[in-house]
Amino acid sequence: MTAPTSAQPSISFEFFPPKSEKMEQSLWQSIRRLAPLSPDFVSVTYGAGGSTRERTHATVCRIQAETGIPAAAHFTCVGATRDEIDAIARTYWDAGIRHLVALRGDPPETAGGVGGRYEPYPGGYAYAADLVAGMKRIADFEISVAAYPEAHPEAPSAQFDLDNLKRKVDAGATRAITQFFFDNDVYFRFLDRCAAAGIHVPIVPGILPITNFARAVEFAGKCGASMPAKLAETFEGLDDDPETRQLVAATVAAEQCQELQARGVHDFHFYTLNRSDLTIAICRMLGVKAKAAAAVAPVAG
Ligand code: FAD
């Protein structure tokens, strides 16, 4: 991650499994546009409470089969026993998926849109560190985990959360992907704390291009990421002006990534929200160019 900045950066893209035919078409349109940037891997999220188990599996396998890009499956400890989770992991291994993003997960949202308190599932893996250890017992998966530069909102302290990250790495994770952040100093201070704690795996910044500012504020509130006042000022008044908002969003995210790059960051993970435009623009600004036209089959139906 601190390799010389002259090399083309390593990038990865995160998608979520589509819920409808229309969303599937828009996902595949994005994949077709992003695949030629040759990401190191892409990953597909797992809905709260395991609600997307089949769709995540289908999407991960299809992306890897049709693009040849290594695809990672997110999965969580929520709502399943160890035996059930182990069985899912084996199906991934048998399908040729070698990379998992192992998470504790959050309880499913209630009707009011708020998740309840997390309780380990009876007979399940309690926390992500336990899940990582369990997956490593199943097969030699590459495992990425989540990291929180501003601490996970439920952690009793930032030190506890850092120790938790260390436990995940000691259990076999070889990469951490951060929750999104908008203040790069927060990330660099976190890297220093990780190094001091003896965490030496890459801590890849998770980049969220802001497509909808109100939604970004809501996400940030839920996951404990701070929102700099300057960003709010920059996006203020653009709610009904999508063209300008898109240009501003690309500029803001490109500036954030260019500063990270100038300070030695080499790996970037993009929360694409299944859209390609902003991510492509930011990658361009980082010097990532299409390597080859990807032969991705058209969407069926
Ligand atoms: P953990 O590392 O287990 O930590 C969760 C909390 O518990 C922390 O506060 C930690 O300090 C604390 N803790 C850890 N161990 C213990 C212990 N033994 N006793 C008490 N407390 C403990 N969610 C999804 O549902 N699906 C996804 O696909 C998904 N993808 C994500 C991808 C990334 C890159 C990130 C950053 C997050 C993602 N999330 C996803 C959200 C994630 O599931 C939530 O943030 C969740 O609340 C914590 O998951 P974790 O893996 O970080 O948990």
Side-chain angles (χ1 to χ4, degrees):
M1 188 197 51
T2 50
T5 53
S6 55
Q8 182 157 304
S10 298
I11 52 171
S12 51
F13 303 133
E14 185 172 306
F15 302 109
F16 61 86
K19 280 196 197 126
S20 64
E21 179 82 7
K22 194 162 169 251
M23 286 168 82
E24 172 141 6
Q25 292 199 355
S26 115
L27 167 67
W28 278 88
Q29 205 173 14
S30 295
I31 292 173
R32 262 186 238 107
R33 294 196 65 209
L34 290 166
L37 299 178
S38 301
D40 283 12
F41 69 92
V42 300
S43 74
V44 180
T45 61
Y46 193 75
S51 54
T52 67
R53 186 179 297 179
E54 282 78 24
R55 280 185 281 130
T56 298
H57 190 279
T59 307
V60 166
C61 293
R62 184 172 167 201
I63 293 177
Q64 185 162 291
E66 294 192 18
T67 66
I69 297 166
H74 291 219
F75 72 111
T76 74
C77 307
V78 176
T81 63
R82 288 178 181 230
D83 286 349
E84 286 164 346
I85 290 180
D86 291 356
I88 301 171
R90 283 193 194 93
T91 62
Y92 275 122
W93 185 266
D94 292 345
I97 301 301
R98 297 289 180 261
H99 184 173
L100 301 176
V101 181
L103 302 143
R104 185 200 76 179
D106 289 318
E109 290 201 342
T110 58
V114 183
R117 214 176 95 86
Y118 175 80
E119 293 288 351
Y121 193 75
Y125 291 105
Y127 291 96
D130 309 309
L131 182 62
V132 173
M135 297 306 95
K136 279 296 200 188
R137 283 193 293 271
I138 302 278
D140 190 20
F141 284 109
E142 175 181 354
I143 298 188
S144 299
V145 291
Y148 301 87
E150 299 180 79
H152 183 266
E154 294 160 42
S157 69
Q159 186 58 44
F160 183 97
D161 209 37
L162 192 67
D163 293 342
N164 178 51
L165 178 58
K166 175 95 167 56
R167 281 195 293 278
K168 296 194 271 194
V169 171
D170 290 345
T174 51
R175 174 191 299 96
I177 300 171
T178 75
Q179 186 56 275
F180 63 84
F181 56 89
F182 299 109
D183 176 351
N184 289 344
D185 287 339
V186 164
Y187 170 74
F188 287 110
R189 281 197 295 273
F190 182 62
L191 287 192
D192 290 344
R193 295 180 53 239
C194 288
I199 298 169
H200 300 302
V201 299
I203 314 285
V204 180
I207 304 296
L208 179 71
I210 299 177
T211 39
N212 176 326
F213 187 70
R215 198 160 329 132
V217 170
E218 189 191 322
F219 280 167
K222 277 189 189 161
C223 66
S226 55
M227 182 61 82
K230 182 155 185 311
L231 264 192
E233 277 167 34
T234 308
F235 280 95
E236 195 190 338
L238 293 181
D239 290 352
D240 299 323
D241 184 352
E243 288 90 4
T244 309
R245 201 173 60 222
Q246 180 87 341
L247 291 170
V248 168
T251 307
V252 163
E255 279 176 358
Q256 181 187 7
C257 291
Q258 283 179 319
E259 198 211 1
L260 290 168
Q261 189 177 40
R263 292 171 70 176
V265 174
H266 185 64
D267 297 355
F268 297 85
H269 182 79
F270 292 94
Y271 295 112
T272 68
L273 305 180
N274 291 6
R275 302 163 70 116
S276 59
D277 299 22
L278 287 174
T279 302
I280 289 176
I282 300 157
C283 286
R284 274 251 143 195
M285 299 297 287
L286 290 174
V288 179
K289 302 235 173 74
K291 286 177 190 148
V296 182
V299 185

